[in-house]
Amino acid sequence: AVACPDPSEDPKKMPSGPVMLARSDPGYVCIIMKAIQDADGNLSKVAPVARSHDGERWTRYGGKFAESLFYSWDFDHHDIGSQITFPELSGDEKYFASSFSYSVEN
């Protein structure tokens, strides 16, 4: 399964087509986003499409873009992660994964 990058790492480019995604680690959220990357590695026109948090299953991100992108697709969940087929994107758009740590305080 494809693992999310460490929060200290740059976003990881993800392929279009079928992908087995490892769940995020506990205490982290991993987000798959659609974006355009320039020559310097900066991302623009970022739109989140899927997420896994705190070791939970992958889910579609809320919002009209993610809903339209995955209109007829859903995640197939397994012990090692979640299978999804990312639709092809147009032009310079690519998928990227990025991780963030978080904590909840009372």
Side-chain angles (χ1 to χ4, degrees):
V2 176
C4 289
D6 186 79
S8 64
E9 298 174 344
D10 289 336
K12 178 193 272 185
K13 193 179 291 186
M14 304 292 287
S16 295
V19 179
M20 177 66 75
L21 297 170
R23 295 178 182 167
S24 64
D25 290 328
Y28 293 91
V29 60
C30 183
I31 298 173
I32 304 292
M33 61 197 118
K34 173 214 60 102
I36 295 175
Q37 188 174 37
D38 67 19
D40 295 327
N42 299 312
L43 300 180
S44 64
K45 298 187 178 180
V46 176
V49 297
R51 67 176 171 243
S52 172
H53 64 89
D54 213 24
E56 296 293 325
R57 293 177 169 184
W58 282 88
T59 59
R60 180 177 28 208
Y61 214 85
K64 291 182 181 181
F65 176 77
E67 288 177 14
S68 67
L69 188 67
F70 294 120
Y71 175 74
S72 62
W73 297 97
D74 205 358
F75 290 93
D76 187 18
H77 302 291
H78 303 275
D79 289 341
I80 63 167
S82 299
Q83 177 82 31
I84 186 69
T85 299
F86 288 112
E88 292 291 327
L89 294 172
S90 60
D92 295 332
E93 297 175 330
K94 303 286 183 215
Y95 295 106
F96 295 89
S98 194
S99 293
F100 306 90
S101 62
Y102 72 95
S103 63
V104 178
E105 296 181 23
N106 294 332

